[in-house]
Amino acid sequence: MKYLTTLAEKVGKEWFDAEFAKAIKDSDIALRALRQRCATAAKRLTKARARNTDYDHFATACPRAAQVVLDIIADQARQAAVLCRRLICLVQSNDPKIRFEPVGAVPVMWNSDEWSDASRCVSDWE
């Protein structure tokens, strides 16, 4: 969470507010208050969205941020492994066509039961 809040503070309030507004569209989450820090708003969004685990909504609203979050988690998992600790990230999506760039230089793979497009009911004709 520290890396995400640091990132939120570094991008600038105008950019953050624009992306935050997209991320909270059609939700009951309020916009960032005038004197509220970007990091505080990001924590509020993260906690609220954690209840809705469909990562595809986040990835659709903020594709670059969704990719960056996965990269941050991958980096933290590697650092945890160095310290003989474990960190796992499971991303749930209802979008069978969701795709991500490699995360931490490692391709993002479907699980063994869903790796083929046919098993996810995705055809080449769509």
Side-chain angles (χ1 to χ4, degrees):
M1 189 67 184
K2 181 180 176 184
Y3 287 97
L4 182 58
T5 55
T6 301
L7 177 66
E9 292 295 336
K10 288 183 178 182
V11 297
K13 290 181 181 177
E14 294 81 18
W15 184 86
F16 178 85
D17 287 342
E19 293 299 319
F20 190 78
K22 291 179 198 174
I24 63 172
K25 185 179 177 183
D26 299 327
S27 76
D28 58 350
I29 301 168
L31 291 171
R32 184 181 68 82
L34 184 61
R35 296 182 184 259
Q36 186 178 38
R37 293 180 57 218
C38 294
T40 304
K43 284 181 185 177
R44 191 165 42 88
L45 173 64
T46 303
K47 288 178 182 177
R49 289 296 188 185
R51 292 181 216 118
N52 179 4
T53 59
D54 298 337
Y55 204 75
D56 49 6
H57 294 299
F58 178 47
T60 300
C62 306
R64 182 70 191 129
Q67 183 72 40
V68 168
V69 167
L70 293 176
D71 281 327
I72 290 169
I73 294 170
D75 182 58
Q76 290 298 300
R78 283 190 196 89
Q79 290 182 27
V82 169
L83 300 172
C84 298
R85 296 191 177 144
R86 296 182 189 126
L87 175 63
I88 187 169
C89 174
L90 301 175
V91 176
Q92 192 275 328
S93 171
N94 290 325
D95 181 359
K97 295 180 183 178
I98 196 167
R99 299 275 191 263
F100 290 102
E101 296 296 318
V103 173
V106 177
V108 177
M109 308 291 284
W110 286 91
N111 68 44
S112 60
D113 292 335
E114 299 177 326
W115 68 270
S116 72
D117 284 345
S119 67
R120 289 179 278 121
C121 301
V122 175
S123 71
D124 293 333
W125 305 103
E126 292 180 28

